[in-house]
């Protein structure tokens, strides 16, 4: 039996968590940990003695942290770059990286009422290449592979009216050869026939007048009404396929707003009522493409409808500039809706992927907490934080608050030598502008990190076990020559002795104690960098 298995608490015994942190975060961590239900969690805080938790390395943690008896799990700060697996082997206990922000700790521990798992879904995404007939086979293959990378399950080749598609067969075979599922979408029965013979997996779309083709091929047909308002024709096509026992999907056709949208929604509901167990499809493009609104919210609503009606296939298009991320948005929405439905819950509390402009909890610190942090700062490097009252900029000499990025310049010019350090001034201007955007929209702001836009923008993929590289403005200003000498100080220089505290000790402490300056760490463009990164 492993040490980790030995550490599992007995049934009914609270799990004993050890939170490893640094001096500056300890007070806030104690405050949040004190809210954890004691019947579920006992806890200890292991302060490694360094000032900032993000600077802790595996070596520092191994040498300076002592795990108390009875601990069952170790939680690292989200921005700590130590390797959890290596530390788990060292301590003989499970080690995991917690959330980036302390305020998110209760939700991370499952106190929001559910454990979030967004790895599953039951919605198949057909992503249409609408102008396939005008593209070369190689261009179509590159496009298809890109759509699949983004989350598409089936690549749909769209035929255009009155436009020949002589290379249709070649394109189908090329995509299939790359391991992709393929559908052919055309008003031309000839193109549908050719696509099916070339090996297409699905045909979009057949109605009761063209349904004979479904019996001449193994491709799965998507059935549509002869006219969108002729639901009876769709019923007759469905009945014929049911009688034959052949696979198919039914799509009652979603229409644009002011052109039958509400009536088309009722047709989806009615089709599901009449045919409870059949496979259905919804084409979402008539809403996402033909409504000039941010497509993420529209997509979330439509995928929510699909979830309620057990519609397991969507046909999407990505043509307009405002729908440039529609594949990723559908992929995010299908995961959130699946998880919420599995939990019999509202689609709330399942991550931030469907939130682009605003955050549910934008401010991770109160103004008072930021003021307390500012009082601890002993160096001239600027920190930037956002709270409900605005943007806070502070170092050892100044703490100023405002809502206009450009209005900070006079105070910062007095407090520092920005006039002779153009790169640093450039950095502060960019960072403050980002902070202003976050404050005005109600988004989370983290200094030196990009704003999170959910599924609406590509997120930066980072190595969570490695420190970030220094930015372009690192060695700037009149004292650049002395930078390397200052950075050569070890990361633990001046660090306080490590200590481990529990709830009783935390209650006895009135405030965070004064700590020696961590001389081994310096802020480069506002980002803490350990000495070994110099």
């Amino acid at each position: 039996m492993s040490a980790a298995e030995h550490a599992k608490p007995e049934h009914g015994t609270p799990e004993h968590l050890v939170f490893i942190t640094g001096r500056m975060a300890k007070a806030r961590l104690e405050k949040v940990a004190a809210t954890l239900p004691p019947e579920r969690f006992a806890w200890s805080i292991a302060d490694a003695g360094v000032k900032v938790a993000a600077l802790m390395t595996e070596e520092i943690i191994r040498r300076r942290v002592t795990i108390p008896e009875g601990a069952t799990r170790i939680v690292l700060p989200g921005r700590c770059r130590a390797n959890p697996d290596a530390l788990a082997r060292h301590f003989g206990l499970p080690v995991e990286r917690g959330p980036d922000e302390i305020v998110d700790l209760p939700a991370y521990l499952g106190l929001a009422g559910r454990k979030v798992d967004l790895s599953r879904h039951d919605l198949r995404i057909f992503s249409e290449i609408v102008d396939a007939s005008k593209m070369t086979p190689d261009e179509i293959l590159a496009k298809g592979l890109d759509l699949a990378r983004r989350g598409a399950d089936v690549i749909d080749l769209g035929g255009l009216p009155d436009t020949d598609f002589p290379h249709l067969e070649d394109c189908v075979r090329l995509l299939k050869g790359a391991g992709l599922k393929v559908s052919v979408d055309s008003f031309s029965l000839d193109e549908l026939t050719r696509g099916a013979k070339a090996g297409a997996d699905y045909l979009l779309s057949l109605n009761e007048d063209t349904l004979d083709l479904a019996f001449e091929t193994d491709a799965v047909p998507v059935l549509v009404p002869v006219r969108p308002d002729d639901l009876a024709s769709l019923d007759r096509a469905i009945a014929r396929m049911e009688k034959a026992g052949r696979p198919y999907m039914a799509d009652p056709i979603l229409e644009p707003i002011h052109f039958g949208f509400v009536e088309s929604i009722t047709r989806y509901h009615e089709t599901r009522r009449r045919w409870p167990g059949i496979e259905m499809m919804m084409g979402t493009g008539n809403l996402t493409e033909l409504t000039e609104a941010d497509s993420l919210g529209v997509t979330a609503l439509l995928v929510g409808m699909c979830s309620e009606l057990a519609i397991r296939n969507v046909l999407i298009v990505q043509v307009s500039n405002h729908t440039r991320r529609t594949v990723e948005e559908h992929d995010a929405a299908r995961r959130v809706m699946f998880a919420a439905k599995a939990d019999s819950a509202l689609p709330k509390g399942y991550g931030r992927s469907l939130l682009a402009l605003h955050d549910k909890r934008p401010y991770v610190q109160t103004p008072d907490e930021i003021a307390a942090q500012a009082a601890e700062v002993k160096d001239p490097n600027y920190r930037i934080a956002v709270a409900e009252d605005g943007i806070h900029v502070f170092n050892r000499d100044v703490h100023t608050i405002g809502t206009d990025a450009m209005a900070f310049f006079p105070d910062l010019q007095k407090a520092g030598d920005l006039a002779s350090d153009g790169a640093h001034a450039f950095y502060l201007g960019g960072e403050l502008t980002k902070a202003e955007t976050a404050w005005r929209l109600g988004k989370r702001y983290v200094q030196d990190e990009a704003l999170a836009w959910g599924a609406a923008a590509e997120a930066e993929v980072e190595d969570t076990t490695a420190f970030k590289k220094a930015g372009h403005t690192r060695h700037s200003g009149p004292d650049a020559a002395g930078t390397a000498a200052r950075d050569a100080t070890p990361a633990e220089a001046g660090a306080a002795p490590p200590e481990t505290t529990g709830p009783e000790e935390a209650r006895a402490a009135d405030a965070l104690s004064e700590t020696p300056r961590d001389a081994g760490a310096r802020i480069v463009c506002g980002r803490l960098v350990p000495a070994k990164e110099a």
Side-chain angles (χ1 to χ4, degrees), residues 245-511:
R246 296 179 67 91
Y248 67 93
M249 300 177 197
D251 184 355
I253 305 298
L254 186 70
E255 296 197 272
I257 293 172
H258 297 150
F259 290 87
F261 169 62
V262 173
E263 285 298 320
S264 67
I265 290 295
T266 63
R267 289 196 292 270
Y268 280 93
H269 183 269
E270 181 60 18
T271 299
R272 175 54 75 208
R273 187 190 68 80
R274 296 182 189 181
W275 306 94
I278 69 171
E279 287 289 337
M280 293 180 64
M281 170 181 278
M282 177 184 286
T284 60
N286 277 346
L287 262 289
T288 57
E289 289 284 330
L290 302 181
T291 306
E292 289 193 355
D294 290 329
S295 58
L296 183 53
V298 176
T299 295
L301 180 62
L302 293 177
V303 174
M305 291 181 181
C306 289
S307 182
E308 280 205 3
L309 294 173
I311 297 172
R312 303 198 302 168
N313 304 273
V314 288
L315 172 65
I316 70 173
V317 290
Q318 188 167 293
V319 177
S320 303
N321 286 330
H322 77 283
T323 63
R324 67 185 67 194
R325 295 275 297 178
T326 193
V327 179
E328 291 88 344
E329 291 169 2
H330 280 78
D331 180 49
R334 65 180 172 177
R335 297 172 188 276
V336 168
M337 297 304 169
F338 182 91
K341 188 175 184 178
D343 291 337
S344 298
L346 297 169
K348 290 171 64 67
Y350 289 91
R352 301 161 65 191
S353 61
L354 300 183
L355 292 172
L357 292 182
H358 316 293
D359 271 317
K360 182 179 178 180
R361 195 170 185 178
Y363 310 118
V364 299
Q365 290 179 276
T366 66
D368 288 344
E369 289 172 336
I370 295 174
Q373 180 183 352
E376 292 288 319
V377 174
K378 308 300 180 187
D379 59 67
N381 299 300
Y382 289 105
R383 280 77 164 175
I384 304 172
V386 174
E388 192 168 2
D389 63 340
I391 306 161
H392 292 243
V393 184
F394 55 94
N395 64 6
R396 69 184 178 192
D397 302 314
V398 64
H399 180 185
T400 182
I401 306 168
T403 59
D404 181 347
M406 296 299 104
F408 283 101
F409 182 72
D411 286 340
L412 299 185
Q413 189 177 33
K414 293 176 185 176
D417 194 12
L418 295 183
S420 60
D421 192 348
H424 195 201
F426 179 86
Y427 161 77
L428 286 175
E431 201 65 30
L432 287 168
T433 300
K434 185 178 69 179
E436 180 183 343
T437 299
W439 181 80
R440 293 191 181 281
L441 289 176
K443 294 184 65 61
R444 283 198 177 182
Y445 167 83
V446 178
Q447 190 169 355
D448 291 307
E449 292 187 12
L451 296 179
W453 301 101
E458 193 75 37
E460 179 182 348
V461 178
E462 61 176 331
D463 181 358
T464 58
T465 65
F467 287 97
K468 293 183 179 180
K469 294 180 180 180
H472 296 293
T473 62
R474 178 174 181 176
H475 298 293
S476 62
D479 60 346
T483 297
R486 289 198 307 271
D487 282 353
T489 310
E492 297 175 74
E499 60 180 31
T500 301
T501 60
E504 293 183 5
E505 296 91 336
R507 284 192 293 267
D510 294 327

Side-chain angles (χ1 to χ4, degrees), residues 101-153:
E101 304 297 345
I102 293 172
V103 294
D104 295 327
L105 189 58
Y108 170 81
L109 293 174
L111 297 176
R114 66 179 72 93
K115 182 174 177 62
V116 176
D117 177 8
L118 300 180
S119 65
R120 300 180 298 160
H121 64 81
D122 62 353
L123 187 69
R124 185 186 291 117
I125 296 175
F126 288 68
S127 187
E128 182 178 1
I129 303 176
V130 296
D131 52 352
S133 58
K134 294 183 176 181
M135 299 169 65
T136 67
D138 286 342
E139 289 172 338
I140 288 173
L141 177 61
K143 180 72 171 179
L145 291 171
D146 180 61
L147 292 171
R149 176 188 65 82
R150 295 171 181 268
D153 302 294

Side-chain angles (χ1 to χ4, degrees), residues 2-5 7 20 58 61-62 67 72-76 82-97:
S2 68
E5 290 173 323
I20 298 180
E58 290 168 36
I61 293 172
R62 284 196 302 266
I67 302 302
T72 57
R73 183 164 37 136
I74 300 170
V75 181
L76 302 175
N83 187 324
D85 294 335
L87 290 175
R89 291 190 293 271
H90 173 76
F91 289 115
L93 288 173
V95 179
E96 58 200 61
R97 183 172 284 104

